[in-house]
Structure formats: structure tokens, C-alpha cells
Amino acid sequence: MVYWCHNFHIFVLFVGDFTVSMAPKRSAKTLSGVPKRKKAVMCLTEKIRVLDKLRSGLSYSAVGREFNVNESTIRYIQKKEQEIRQSVREAAPESAKVTSIVRDAAMEKMEKQLTLWIHEMTTNERSVVDSVVVRLKAKEIYGHVTQGQENVKPFSASAGWLARFKRRYHMKNVKLAGKAGSADWEAAEEFKKYLLSIIHEKGYMEEQVFNADETGLFYKNVGKRTYVMRMASKAPGFKSFQDHATLLLCANAKGDFKCKPLMVHRAQNPRALRGKNLNRMPVHWRWNKKAWMASGIFWDWFHNCFIPEAERYLHSKNLAFRVLLILDDAPVHCHEELENAHPDIEVLFMPPNTASLIQPLSQGIIKAFKAHYTRELYSKAFEALDANEEATMMDYWRSVTIRNVIDYIGTSWDSIKQATINNCWGNVWPDCVKNFEGFEGVTKNIKNTVENIMHIAQQISGEGFDDMKEGDVEEILAEMAVEPTNKDLDEMAKHGIGVSDDEDADESQPTTPRIVPLTAAKIAEWNSALEKIFNDMEECDPMLERSLTFKRLTSNAFVPYAETLKDLKRKAKQTRLKQFFKPVWEGKLLTPPSCESQTPEVELPDLAHHLH
């Protein structure tokens, strides 16, 4: 029998000896006020962390609680472990941090190589890398990476794919026409604020803040309109990149210190340098087959060139060896390894697409150096032609050896004035600039050097020289990209930008052992393991005092890692800036109650109830 109770708005159902009361269904209007649980969408990088936790022995429920997701989600992630790990291996780090689904391996590989290609090509301010060019290149690379495969999915490089690609890799403003074309002004402003806060908080002086960056140098380029370059380009087997090298330049904010340039050349021991001591030259000499910077070469420079030179300089100034090094986001700059490479060196990485806006070397230092180098090249040519009237500019051009080039590089780098370097820091650290001329003074000096080059060229005479214009010289000074081949992109994707360090390694090439980076995630993993041990000991040890003593002593010993984690989390914030902000780890950190005042900003577990 069924009765309806009007007073309480319920149905009463009598079934044999049982009575069941049923409330009426809630209307949609009633449910609308109930907040819905936000769906957790985990990126592939987070899923890898989940899988690593499961491998460490944590249960499904424990991992679910840590990541605030259901146990069923954790089980599903483990079920897809193979596909997830393969997708992350093929993807670039930027994509893995924002992609939540397992994508086709060929697509991930193509996009990774495409980003490397864009990075190389946008170093040339005159190159046009717009959306049409990117889509065509994407189709070309996709065809390359899927060559020989069966059941290949069709890929049209549609406008929709391009929009998603730009979001995944934070390329907001494609049209990508050179570095400035894709610049991120908002991120640049945020980084400037962050940098100034670090400088003021830690008391860095102008002498202690450094910037380093690479630049390509076509060291025999005298202008493409000149008859010399036109004749040379028509010669059998001519390749412009044969006269190309990569330079790594570094200077401090005060402008009174310049590191010896590092030069990456194609040849290990060129004929012109045979019998010479490569350690006693105006440059640090390194090599690989493409004359590109590689992560191993940069790591070696950091330890064996930059640190000793900076240390000698600061000691000569009676200053403490405390260094803040600013770098761009190029993959060769060993991001994770540099975070803990030296206890007295802090490294800040600029956000993507901001170097052209705020990096001091890009504000005029590199251009001033190239202007001095080109003037040196032209001056030596004029002297040679003046000394021998029968000689031609082509004769001189052919006679220039790498030994001459190294001499010109050393002379040109020494010619950069302190005021020029200091003024170029004005965009990112205005208070350090001492000369009120600022960028106008730098631009004026470069313009004077350009006019000097034009004057020398007109005295040399010949097609392309006697009518040389300012635009011709500016073209020589501009960053020029050497477009990597598909085979080059394979190597770059495998080993980072630049060729394989192992492939070109030689016993005489200086090497520094790479260190395994200490990450916040790794410290978190240790913390979880210790918490599990503490809980097991308290559960199984009949002597509670003994287990609590062990916990207290171990927590005290863990304090240095607590401080390291705090520093790593702070550093991680500056790599994202606004849309990039994301904590590396949000777990709890072990530390004893007595040390809470020493690390007030780190979230600590409540151990006080157990220790007192």
C-alpha cells in the first residue's frame, strides 16, 4: 500500500513487514544551487608524476589524495602508462605541460622539430616566418618523420591546428617575423619586475649581474651586393655556412667586465691554427660539425670559462663571489642542471619570446660588436690593397683565414666600450645605467661605425663597394639564420639545439661531467617516502618514544632540503610569468617544529602533536 503524507511531502510504501520512505525527486531548480565539482584535467607532465609515484610504491588511493583526483582516474592513467610515456618522450617540454591527452607520436615529433626550426629561423630579423610558411614547413616535416611508416594519418596543417600549436608552445603573436615579431611584451614586463625584486632582495651589485647569449657570425661576409660575394656564390661547391661560426658573448651590468668570447667552429684543428696553442687565443675555441652551440659546449663554458673569469674579476674588485646570470630560454642552456650547478651562482631564464625586448646583449651590444668586426674586416682589406696595388678585393677575401678572423674578433670585442654595455641594460635594469645618453648613445655610435664602413668600402671601389649604402651594411650586421635540414632537425630534437655532443666529441675537446639536477619533484618524492617510513615505524614499533626520536632527528637533518625546495619553488615561478605560473610541487615538507621560524614560507606538516 502507498500513502502520501502532505505535511512532510514524502511517499510511504508498505511492503510486507517493511516500510520504505521515499523523498520526492529534487527539481532542476533546486539542484542549480549546488556547486558542481570542478573536473580535474591533468597534463601529460602531471600524469608522468602520477606514474612515478605509483612506481615508488604508493597506493592508488594515496596518489589520488595527493593529486586530488579519484582512485579510478589513477588506475586509468596507469593503464595508459606506455602510451603516455611514449607521447612525452616525443613531445617538447612545453607541449607536455599543457597537453592532457595522448597525442599521435608522429605529430608530437613533428611539432617538436617545428619549434626548433622556428627558433633557428627567427634569429634572423629579416627572415619572414609567418603562418603560411609555418604551415608549409609543418607538412614537410610531417612527411619526413612519417616516411616509410604504414597507416599514416593525413595531416593538412590547417589553421585550426596552427592555433592549437601556438597555444601549446606559447606562440601568441604569430606572425613570426624575426625575434621582435613574436615578442611577448607582457611577459617581458613581468620578468623585469621579477628581476628587480631579486636584485633588491638579495643585494646584487652591478658588477655581480651578468648576461650571456649566442650569436651567429658569417665572418667573411662583405655584403651580398658586392661582386666578391656574387662571384663566390657562383663557385662550385660554395656554401655560405662554411664561413659561419657561433659566438657566445657575456658581460656584466656595470660594463667593465667582458668574458673572453667562446667560438664554436666546424673544424677541430684548422690548417691556419696548426702548431698554435688553442688555450692561448683571444677566444675559447670549441667545435662541432655544424658550428652550432650544443648543451655540452655550453655546460663546459659555464664551468671552465665563465666561473673562473667571473671569480677573478670579482676578487680583483674585492667583492664576494655572488653571481646572478641572466639567460634566454634556449634549450642548450641546460635549464635544470644550472639551477644547482654552483652554490654562489643564481641563474634566471627569461620567458620565451622576450630576449629581443629586454636582453642587454640584444639591445645593441651584439650589433655594436658586429659593426666593429665588419669595420676591422674592411680596414684590413684596405690596408692589404693599399700595400699591393695589383691585389684585388677577391684576392684579399680568399686570403682571410680563421687565424685572421680570431684576431678580428678579439680586437672587436675589446673595442666595445663600458658605456655601451652599461646603457644596454637600461631596458631591464634602469637604475644601473650611469650614462644619460642611454640607447640613443648606443645607436649613434653604431651609426658612426656603419658610416665608417661605407667610407672604407667606397675607397676600395668595385661593384657593390663604391655604391654601398647604409642598408647594405645593416644587412651584414643583422642576425642571419642558417636553415637546418630535416636531418639536422632530427639531431636537434634528439640532443637539444645543436648537433650531438657525442657524435663530434674528441679526447682533446674539454669536457665537464654533467650532473643530475636536483628538482623539487625529487625532494617531494623523498619527503613522501620519509612520511611512509615514519607512519610505519609509529605503527609497528612498540616503543613510541624511539620512533618519535627517529622522526625528530630525521626531520632536523631534512632542513637543508626544505630550504632548497623553497628556493626551487621560488625560481620556478619566474619561468612561467602570469600564464606560466605554476608550482612545481604542492605537497608537504618535513621539518621539525623547532625550525619552523627558519623556513616560514614553506608549508610544513603538523609534527608538533607527535613530538611533544
Side-chain angles (χ1 to χ4, degrees):
M1 297 180 66
V2 179
Y3 294 92
W4 169 249
C5 181
H6 292 278
N7 293 334
F8 297 99
H9 301 285
I10 61 174
F11 288 101
V12 181
L13 174 64
F14 293 95
V15 183
D17 295 330
F18 297 95
T19 304
V20 180
S21 299
M22 296 181 294
K25 294 182 179 180
R26 287 178 291 176
S27 64
K29 184 177 180 180
T30 305
L31 291 173
S32 62
V34 180
K36 293 183 178 180
R37 180 179 178 180
K38 188 176 181 180
K39 183 179 180 181
V41 179
M42 304 176 71
C43 66
L44 292 179
T45 302
E46 290 175 319
K47 290 178 181 179
I48 289 294
R49 290 176 56 202
V50 167
L51 294 170
D52 290 341
K53 293 286 184 183
L54 293 174
R55 283 190 175 184
S56 69
L58 291 182
S59 65
Y60 296 110
S61 57
V63 177
R65 286 193 298 272
E66 180 171 340
F67 288 88
N68 194 29
V69 296
N70 293 331
E71 183 178 331
S72 59
T73 301
I74 302 299
R75 291 181 182 275
Y76 180 79
I77 291 174
Q78 188 184 46
K79 182 180 178 181
K80 297 290 184 180
E81 178 172 7
Q82 184 176 354
E83 294 93 327
I84 291 172
R85 291 191 181 277
Q86 181 181 0
S87 183
V88 172
R89 277 195 300 270
E90 298 293 349
E94 296 90 340
S95 175
K97 289 177 181 178
V98 298
T99 304
S100 59
I101 61 174
V102 177
R103 303 177 68 232
D104 180 66
M107 285 293 295
E108 290 284 16
K109 193 171 183 179
M110 178 275 293
E111 290 187 359
K112 184 176 183 179
Q113 294 192 13
L114 182 62
T115 57
L116 294 172
W117 179 83
I118 291 173
H119 183 278
E120 289 295 305
M121 298 309 296
T122 52
T123 59
N124 182 1
E125 295 177 359
R126 294 176 180 268
S127 63
V128 178
V129 188
D130 60 14
S131 59
V132 175
V133 175
V134 170
R135 291 167 65 182
L136 290 173
K137 189 64 182 180
K139 293 181 69 174
E140 178 189 330
I141 297 175
Y142 186 77
H144 171 70
V145 300
T146 58
Q147 190 174 10
Q149 297 182 10
E150 297 180 357
N151 302 321
V152 177
K153 295 181 179 179
F155 172 62
S156 61
S158 65
W161 163 82
L162 179 61
R164 294 187 294 273
F165 169 76
K166 287 160 57 179
R167 286 197 298 270
R168 278 192 290 273
Y169 291 91
H170 310 299
M171 297 179 184
K172 298 182 193 177
N173 326 6
V174 176
K175 184 177 180 180
L176 291 170
K179 283 187 177 179
S182 58
D184 190 336
W185 292 89
E186 185 178 358
E189 289 300 318
E190 288 299 318
F191 178 81
K192 286 166 60 175
K193 294 176 185 176
Y194 179 77
L195 173 64
L196 294 177
S197 70
I198 293 297
I199 291 172
H200 295 149
E201 175 187 337
K202 298 197 172 182
Y204 285 111
M205 301 179 67
E206 298 156 10
E207 293 88 346
Q208 297 170 317
V209 183
F210 300 79
N211 175 223
D213 193 23
E214 298 85 8
T215 183
L217 179 67
F218 288 83
Y219 49 79
K220 293 180 72 172
N221 183 13
V222 292
K224 71 178 185 180
R225 280 204 318 114
T226 63
Y227 78 91
V228 170
M229 297 305 294
R230 288 186 176 184
M231 291 177 62
S233 64
K234 294 177 182 178
F238 172 79
K239 295 180 180 178
S240 62
F241 63 77
Q242 289 180 341
D243 298 325
H244 171 264
T246 297
L247 297 179
L248 175 60
L249 305 177
C250 178
N252 70 350
K254 191 173 180 65
D256 64 342
F257 170 77
K258 302 189 291 282
C259 284
K260 181 193 290 188
L262 180 135
M263 182 176 184
V264 185
H265 192 258
R266 293 181 303 106
Q268 172 187 344
N269 191 17
R271 183 182 295 108
L273 296 181
R274 286 175 187 171
K276 304 298 180 183
N277 186 342
L278 298 183
N279 295 320
R280 298 288 183 179
M281 297 198 301
V283 299
H284 296 294
W285 182 264
R286 299 295 185 268
W287 62 89
N288 63 39
K289 290 181 180 179
K290 299 294 184 182
W292 284 340
M293 179 58 69
S295 58
I297 295 177
F298 184 84
W299 182 254
D300 168 66
W301 170 84
F302 177 80
H303 282 281
N304 296 326
C305 305
F306 172 69
I307 291 179
E309 290 185 46
E311 193 167 14
R312 284 195 299 269
Y313 160 75
L314 290 173
H315 286 171
S316 71
K317 296 287 185 179
N318 295 319
L319 293 173
F321 182 61
R322 294 175 60 248
V323 168
L324 178 62
L325 177 62
I326 303 170
L327 300 171
D328 65 23
D329 67 321
V332 293
H333 288 161
C334 311
H335 291 216
E336 292 187 345
E337 291 98 325
L338 286 184
E339 285 184 351
N340 299 285
H342 194 284
D344 298 316
I345 298 178
E346 182 174 5
V347 182
L348 294 185
F349 293 97
M350 290 177 284
N353 307 319
T354 60
S356 62
L357 302 176
I358 55 177
Q359 177 166 246
L361 280 162
S362 301
Q363 302 308 302
I365 299 174
I366 290 177
K367 187 174 182 179
F369 161 76
K370 289 187 175 181
H372 283 293
Y373 177 87
T374 305
R375 183 177 63 184
E376 190 72 12
L377 183 66
Y378 267 85
S379 296
K380 295 299 181 183
F382 179 76
E383 292 174 9
L385 298 179
D386 188 51
N388 184 0
E389 294 183 357
E390 296 182 359
T392 65
M393 185 62 180
M394 177 61 79
D395 295 330
Y396 166 76
W397 184 85
R398 287 172 176 160
S399 71
V400 173
T401 67
I402 195 64
R403 186 168 62 184
N404 302 129
V405 170
I406 291 172
D407 180 28
Y408 303 163
I409 289 173
T411 302
S412 304
W413 188 232
D414 289 341
S415 300
I416 305 297
K417 297 179 181 179
Q418 177 177 348
T420 298
I421 297 174
N422 179 248
N423 284 333
C424 288
W425 283 79
N427 249 9
V428 72
W429 189 6
D431 292 344
C432 81
V433 176
K434 306 301 181 186
N435 192 324
F436 293 104
E437 290 184 359
F439 290 118
E440 292 77 9
V442 175
T443 303
K444 181 179 178 181
N445 290 336
I446 294 174
K447 185 176 179 61
N448 291 338
T449 306
V450 169
E451 291 175 352
N452 192 213
I453 294 169
M454 293 165 54
H455 177 68
I456 298 172
Q458 290 162 6
Q459 289 182 294
I460 291 174
S461 73
E463 184 182 352
F465 291 104
D466 48 15
D467 62 343
M468 182 167 284
K469 299 179 176 60
E470 183 176 344
D472 299 323
V473 181
E474 288 288 345
E475 191 170 23
I476 297 174
L477 306 186
E479 288 283 353
M480 297 177 64
V482 179
E483 182 171 7
T485 65
N486 289 330
K487 186 177 179 181
D488 293 335
L489 291 172
D490 288 337
E491 286 293 325
M492 293 162 69
K494 185 177 180 181
H495 300 281
I497 290 182
V499 299
S500 166
D501 299 331
D502 296 329
E503 178 183 313
D504 299 310
D506 186 273
E507 289 183 0
S508 59
Q509 174 103 349
T511 57
T512 301
R514 303 288 287 272
I515 61 172
V516 177
L518 178 61
T519 63
K522 179 60 69 174
I523 298 177
E525 184 180 326
W526 297 341
N527 178 77
S528 298
L530 284 176
E531 283 189 300
K532 188 175 185 299
I533 292 172
F534 291 162
N535 293 335
D536 289 346
M537 292 179 72
E538 289 183 30
E539 186 72 25
C540 302
D541 191 347
M543 297 178 61
L544 182 61
E545 183 180 3
R546 180 168 58 191
S547 63
L548 292 177
T549 300
F550 175 81
K551 177 188 283 189
R552 182 172 60 253
L553 294 174
T554 306
S555 298
N556 271 302
F558 201 78
V559 167
Y561 292 104
E563 295 171 347
T564 300
L565 177 61
K566 174 186 174 183
D567 195 46
L568 288 175
K569 291 174 71 176
R570 179 185 58 77
K571 288 179 181 179
K573 293 179 181 179
Q574 67 91 19
T575 64
R576 302 291 287 179
L577 297 177
K578 287 202 170 181
Q579 74 270 25
F580 304 118
F581 271 110
K582 188 172 185 181
V584 175
W585 174 66
E586 298 179 353
K588 294 183 177 181
L589 178 68
L590 292 169
T591 191
S594 59
C595 297
E596 288 183 12
S597 60
Q598 299 175 16
T599 55
E601 297 180 18
V602 180
E603 185 181 357
L604 307 174
D606 187 9
L607 300 180
H609 297 298
H610 299 289
L611 302 180
H612 298 288

